[in-house]
Every structure is written in structure tokens, then in C-alpha cells.
Amino acid sequence: MATYKDSGVDIDAGDRAVELMKASIARASRPEVMGGIGGFAGLFDASALKEMKQPLLATSTDGVGTKTEIARAMGKYDTIGEDLVAMVVDDLVVCGAEPLFMTDYIAVGKVIPERIADIVAGIARGCVKAGTALVGGETAEHPGLLDEDEFDIAGAATGAVDADKQLGAHRVKAGDLIIAMPASGFHANGYSLIRHILASQKLDLAKTYEGFSQSLGEILLTPTEIYSLDCLALIKAQGEKLRTFSHITGGGLADNTARVIPAGLTAKYDRSTWALPQATKFLAEVASVPQEDMERTWNCGIGMSAVVDPSVADLVLRSLAARGMSAWVAGVVEPSGDKDAARSYLVSDYKGKIHGK
């Protein structure tokens, strides 16, 4: 006799995981959510969109890459879900969309209910921080494809923005200023390089290296900052003088910012306006990572940029400070001399140079 459990799939363990995650999911809700956990689909009342002249639905999907391997190695699963939410919802807000609801997908080698509950608790906590509802998800057990302690997570979110309030390159003008919002850490990009450094330099995740107050593993598991509510507040307050945002993920500052700059203009960041985060500098120095490679792989301390009319820059900075975020003016938009291309680049040196230069 062969059973599903004999093949490595434990339905009872999956049911226990669902029971453990119910309380977390209940906290990650909005009044528009219809029904509860257990249905075949999540339902969301979209009648409020009728107040928009031309409602546009925005969607985004992402994962957290090989940061999951750091979580597995540390045996710590309660923060990785925040990374997932951040990577998804902060892509939505770049175009001015309010993230409304999210679903997740968790693939594991073996369902361990407490571990799944920890991951989902992090996702739910991230949704609360983003003002987004967690309306559903899926946990899949993949015996034979993943080792028992291996896992991967992905998510998708839907948001909405009125067409005449959509942000983007079409709003950006020469003379606009770039407001930098600080990153909380490496976020969830460039972990393949980080893991290569860990292996090649024989670094210990459990060790607290000189100058740090946490172990290297704890530093690397710092959750990605969630900017969506801060960005939405700026949009509401500044209107058309808030041009657009750039979510700094894979590709780094220059490449991501260029995506929201129109042809004929260039975004210029001044490195001297901020210092590299201590952990970024540590890994770059210990493994002699070239500066160009570092800047195209990691966020280097800036997780989100806002492009604004210079007349509201001071107000934007004060507004963010009131919300607990120490932002700063990091650059300016200038004519590029190339009418067919949009560009972005960094000038000067960081406060506290790297590699002894």
C-alpha cells in the first residue's frame, strides 16, 4: 500500500501549519477583504475604485532570492516574509499605486508547521506595515526536489492608481531633486555575491565581527525596509510636485533610477552626501569587490529615491523626518545632451572611501 505521506507529502502537517498561521493572517487585513482563509480565492471589494476617474490596476510579483539560504543557515524564519512584502509592494508604489492585497507562495522540501507559521507571520507583519491585505496563499511540499530544510518564497500584489495621478518619467523635469530614503540593510538583492564572499573568505554567520553589535547572520537577515506608506503619504501631500519614485533593487542606484528618467535627462547622485553602510563596506573590503560591481549589485545605503520639484524638497524631508525616516537630498536631474536616452550615474566619493582609495 502506498500513501501520499509515503511519498513525502504530509497533508496533516499542512493543516497544522494553516491553523498556526491564522492569527497572523487575521492581522494583515483591510475592511475591503471579503470572507476569510480557506477559500479557493481571496476576495476584495473593489467598489471604492468607482471614485476614481480612470482606475488603473497595477500588479507586481517577486521573491527574495538566495536570502532564503541565510535564513535556513541561521535557522531563523520570522523575518524573511517582510522582505517578500517589501520587494513586491514597493514596486507598486513607484507608479503611484496603493498596494491593496497580496498573495504568497511557499515551496518547501518538508512542511514543518512551526517554520511555515514563522514565515507567514513575517509576511503578515510586512503587510501590516504596508497597509496591504494578505488575502491568500499556497504552501507546496516538494519532496525529492528540495531537501527537507530548503524552501523558497514568492508573492504577488495588486494595487490601484487613478490614471491622471500615475507617477513616472513623464513627470520628471530638469532641475528636479533626488531625495534618498535610507536602506535598512542589503534588503533582498545581491545575496549570491554575499554568499560567494561568505564561502570564499570563510566568514562565520554566527560571529560578531569587530565594530558590529550583531552577528553577521543577524545583519544579513535585517528585513527590507517597507516604504509604501511613506511614499503614499508624500503623494497625497505633494500632488504633481512629487514626480516619481525609484525602488533600488537588483541593478543598483544608477540602473534603477534610469528606469524613471525620460530621454534627454540624466539623474546625478552625489556619493559625498552619504556614507556606505558599515556592513556593505565590510564585505566590499574583505573580498575586494570592485566599486562598480558593488554599486550594480547592492543598494549601497539607499532603498528608495523620490524625484521631486525643488520647491517642495525641504517639505518632503521634514515630512519623512516626522515619519521617522532620515532622508536627504542626494542628487539632481539634469539635461543629458542625449535626446534619445535616459541616464543615471554617481559622482564624487563616498564619505569614508573604500578600498583605501
Side-chain angles (χ1 to χ4, degrees):
M1 180 176 70
T3 68
Y4 207 11
K5 190 171 184 178
D6 291 335
S7 73
V9 178
D10 190 339
I11 295 175
D12 292 334
D15 290 341
R16 290 196 300 275
V18 170
E19 288 300 315
L20 289 173
M21 67 177 74
K22 279 184 176 179
S24 295
I25 295 173
R27 289 191 288 271
S29 188
R30 289 172 53 126
E32 301 95 332
V33 174
M34 310 295 289
I37 189 173
F40 285 93
L43 297 175
F44 190 92
D45 181 2
S47 59
L49 300 186
K50 292 187 294 186
E51 298 176 4
M52 296 183 180
K53 295 178 182 179
Q54 185 183 351
L56 303 179
L57 292 180
T59 184
S60 178
T61 186
D62 210 338
V64 299
T66 59
K67 189 171 183 175
T68 56
E69 179 63 13
I70 305 298
R72 185 204 62 79
M74 292 290 290
K76 182 174 173 57
Y77 303 92
D78 60 345
T79 62
I80 199 77
E82 289 190 48
D83 293 282
L84 178 63
V85 175
M87 299 306 291
V88 174
V89 301
D90 286 340
D91 275 356
L92 288 179
V93 79
V94 163
C95 70
E98 177 187 0
L100 300 174
F101 57 85
M102 181 168 177
T103 57
D104 65 69
Y105 176 81
I106 306 171
V108 297
K110 179 180 177 62
V111 170
I112 300 174
E114 294 76 13
R115 185 177 299 169
I116 299 297
D118 277 350
I119 294 171
V120 173
I123 296 172
R125 188 165 54 250
C127 284
V128 171
K129 290 182 177 181
T132 306
L134 182 60
V135 297
E138 170 71 6
T139 299
E141 200 166 19
H142 291 172
L145 296 181
L146 296 172
D147 289 340
E148 289 191 356
D149 63 344
E150 290 183 332
F151 74 103
D152 194 18
I153 59 176
T158 297
V161 60
D162 213 338
D164 63 357
K165 296 181 179 178
Q166 181 184 357
L167 306 182
H170 62 284
R171 288 190 172 207
V172 178
K173 302 176 182 179
D176 286 342
L177 296 180
I178 303 170
I179 305 293
M181 303 182 206
S184 55
F186 288 96
H187 287 185
N189 294 105
Y191 274 76
S192 292
L193 174 58
I194 289 172
R195 289 171 50 243
H196 173 71
I197 293 171
L198 293 176
S200 65
Q201 304 303 314
K202 297 181 172 54
L203 299 178
D204 184 353
L205 289 174
K207 181 176 178 179
T208 299
Y209 287 89
E210 184 178 356
F212 294 93
S213 60
Q214 293 177 296
S215 71
L216 181 57
E218 289 172 323
I219 291 168
L220 295 177
L221 284 182
T222 301
T224 303
E225 185 75 26
I226 296 175
Y227 302 95
S228 56
L229 290 182
D230 300 306
C231 292
L232 290 171
L234 292 180
I235 293 169
K236 184 177 180 180
Q238 303 305 330
E240 292 187 359
K241 292 191 175 183
L242 191 292
R243 312 298 198 202
T244 192
F245 296 103
S246 177
H247 188 198
I248 310 305
T249 56
L253 274 171
D255 287 358
N256 280 289
T257 304
R259 295 165 66 181
V260 297
I261 301 298
L265 297 181
T266 186
K268 183 173 73 175
Y269 284 90
D270 184 351
R271 295 186 187 93
S272 70
T273 63
W274 81 98
L276 278 175
Q278 185 182 15
T280 303
K281 189 175 181 181
F282 170 74
L283 290 184
E285 289 182 337
V286 77
S288 297
V289 179
Q291 181 167 306
E292 181 181 3
D293 202 69
M294 176 190 73
E295 291 180 342
R296 295 194 67 186
T297 306
W298 300 326
N299 60 56
C300 295
I302 299 176
M304 181 75 80
S305 292
V307 182
V308 306
D309 184 291
S311 68
V312 299
D314 286 343
L315 182 57
V316 167
L317 292 175
R318 292 198 300 269
S319 297
L320 289 172
R323 297 179 62 85
M325 182 169 291
S326 300
W328 69 96
V329 175
V332 65
V333 177
E334 300 177 338
S336 68
D338 185 348
K339 63 181 179 61
D340 297 319
R343 303 185 184 281
S344 180
Y345 63 99
L346 285 71
V347 300
S348 189
D349 292 316
Y350 291 108
K351 289 180 180 177
K353 299 176 185 178
I354 62 171
H355 303 323
K357 295 180 181 177

